[in-house]
Amino acid sequence: MARPKKQGLDYFPFDVNFFSDKKIKIVKARYGNDGVIIYLYLLCEIYKNGYYIVWDDDYKFIVADELNISDGLIEQVLKFLIERSLLQSILLNSDTIITSPSVQHRFQEIVKTRKAPTSVLKELWLLSKEETQGCIKVTQKQGFSEINPGFSEKNPSKSEINAIKESKEKESKEKESKEKESKEKKNNMSTCVDARNAFDYQSVVNSFNSICVSLPKVQKLTDDRKKKIKSLQHLLGDITIDDYFKRVENSDFLTGRTGNWNGCTFDWILKPANLTKIIEGNYDSKQQQTSRTASYDIEELEKINTLDYLDL
């Protein structure tokens, strides 16, 4: 039996207005850059196979490992993409198929340059007869493996997935071992509590809840919050985490005491752009600004007075 012709693509067109699309903006707003990366990764996987992929827990495991993103977040993003019609889910013979009309429109635009028509499975082809171009040959339902040889045992094959899983698990254990050893060395070389708190997520949350009493308390420690907490100490520089939370709590504007705004939250003050404004004093109350002005070092003031005297 002749081997079926290649169906996957080597490339696909990318719209320069991709990030201006309202749906993409919503994905980014809800799930951050990880949400957009997951969507782009899935598109690449779909076009690599052709115009769809077969989705299961094994595939999810591979994506999570490749992107270093939790499988829980990947499930959330995929569900959201389907709800927003960026992707579509089809159930065929107990297999979950991921594709979309827009994916298939782009697919047929690429394959029309091929000499022979490209076969697609009728049950998976979402475009109408009028939308389907002559380069596409819609076939009746056949054996799944005949039309998609690479997916005869789900993409990729089970044996390949197990091999990848074992390899990734081994790499992950080795990486964890090296990271653990590195952390132990750092802890032995430094007694700085704040350095440890950079990775002690719950301790940071507890500090926030106890210091920023005017703001909503953190109830759940999500993966996204862990990432932001992990980079918090680096962004703060010489400022301790507790001092940063105290500055937020002392701000009449951020705590809503001015009555002008009450949207400040734990997640809001962890955003790098907002953090920079806070530590630069953009939201300080008048009392905080006066306190900073009065805290000049005496020697610095004497130098200023001396220079003024010399100028005279």
Side-chain angles (χ1 to χ4, degrees):
M1 180 178 178
R3 184 178 181 84
K5 296 180 180 179
K6 175 181 177 181
Q7 192 170 40
L9 305 180
D10 295 321
Y11 71 94
F12 67 94
F14 189 83
D15 192 343
V16 295
N17 294 319
F18 175 83
F19 291 99
S20 300
D21 189 297
K22 182 179 179 181
K23 291 182 179 180
I24 301 302
K25 288 183 177 181
I26 295 175
V27 172
K28 186 175 183 298
R30 290 197 59 172
Y31 303 104
N33 293 331
D34 286 346
V36 179
I37 291 173
I38 292 171
Y39 178 47
L40 291 175
Y41 185 94
L42 291 176
L43 286 179
C44 289
E45 290 296 296
I46 290 171
Y47 288 122
K48 188 189 300 182
N49 178 62
Y51 59 98
Y52 69 91
I53 56 174
V54 180
W55 186 260
D56 57 14
D57 289 338
D58 288 331
Y59 206 109
K60 178 179 64 177
F61 172 85
I62 293 174
V63 176
D65 186 73
E66 287 287 337
L67 300 182
N68 194 25
I69 297 174
S70 70
D71 55 353
L73 179 59
I74 290 175
E75 284 185 345
Q76 293 178 32
V77 173
L78 178 58
K79 182 180 179 182
F80 183 79
L81 294 173
I82 293 173
E83 290 175 350
R84 296 286 174 159
S85 300
L86 287 167
L87 293 175
Q88 187 167 330
S89 175
I90 302 173
L91 187 64
L92 179 66
N93 296 339
S94 75
D95 288 310
T96 300
I97 312 299
I98 302 299
T99 184
S100 77
S102 60
V103 163
Q104 296 180 8
H105 272 297
R106 296 191 198 99
F107 173 77
Q108 71 176 357
E109 286 298 321
I110 299 297
V111 299
K112 70 181 181 181
T113 60
R114 297 175 178 174
K115 294 181 180 180
T118 300
S119 296
V120 297
L121 190 60
K122 181 178 180 181
E123 285 72 17
L124 303 183
W125 192 248
L126 303 177
L127 304 186
S128 65
K129 185 176 181 181
E130 292 74 19
E131 294 174 308
T132 302
Q133 299 183 20
C135 59
I136 299 296
K137 180 182 178 182
V138 181
T139 62
Q140 294 293 327
K141 183 176 179 180
Q142 300 177 23
F144 211 34
S145 60
E146 294 179 16
I147 294 182
N148 303 283
F151 280 71
S152 59
E153 297 180 15
K154 300 191 177 184
N155 47 320
S157 67
K158 287 292 184 182
S159 59
E160 291 175 343
I161 286 178
N162 290 334
I164 294 173
K165 184 182 294 186
E166 291 176 1
S167 176
K168 293 297 182 180
E169 287 177 348
K170 183 179 179 180
E171 291 178 5
S172 178
K173 289 180 180 179
E174 291 177 353
K175 183 179 179 181
E176 288 178 2
S177 178
K178 290 181 180 179
E179 289 179 349
K180 183 178 180 181
E181 182 179 350
S182 176
K183 287 181 181 180
E184 288 176 353
K185 288 181 179 179
K186 288 181 180 180
N187 288 336
N188 291 335
M189 294 173 62
S190 174
T191 58
C192 179
V193 176
D194 287 322
R196 292 197 301 270
N197 281 345
F199 303 94
D200 187 358
Y201 308 117
Q202 192 59 51
S203 176
V204 174
V205 170
N206 292 341
S207 294
F208 171 82
N209 287 339
S210 62
I211 294 174
C212 298
V213 294
S214 301
L215 303 181
K217 291 186 179 299
V218 176
Q219 303 293 338
K220 186 176 181 181
L221 190 56
T222 62
D223 290 337
D224 183 56
R225 284 173 171 169
K226 286 182 178 180
K227 289 182 180 179
K228 293 176 180 176
I229 290 172
K230 193 171 183 179
S231 62
L232 179 61
Q233 186 61 60
H234 173 72
L235 295 173
L236 288 176
D238 295 333
I239 301 174
T240 66
I241 295 175
D242 284 357
D243 285 343
Y244 177 62
F245 289 156
K246 288 176 182 177
R247 173 169 283 186
V248 172
E249 179 59 27
N250 290 333
S251 169
D252 291 337
F253 177 79
L254 294 178
T255 55
R257 290 191 289 269
T258 62
N260 296 327
W261 183 61
N262 61 353
C264 187
T265 63
F266 179 72
D267 296 305
W268 191 90
I269 67 173
L270 290 188
K271 291 182 179 180
N274 297 334
L275 181 146
T276 300
K277 293 179 182 179
I278 293 172
I279 63 179
E280 289 180 351
N282 291 17
Y283 302 109
D284 284 0
S285 303
K286 291 183 179 180
Q287 184 178 359
Q288 289 172 277
Q289 295 170 356
T290 302
S291 175
R292 288 204 313 276
T293 303
S295 65
Y296 279 118
D297 187 81
I298 295 176
E299 293 182 1
E300 292 298 323
L301 291 175
E302 288 178 349
K303 289 179 182 179
I304 295 172
N305 292 335
T306 302
L307 292 173
D308 290 341
Y309 175 76
L310 293 174
D311 289 339
L312 293 175

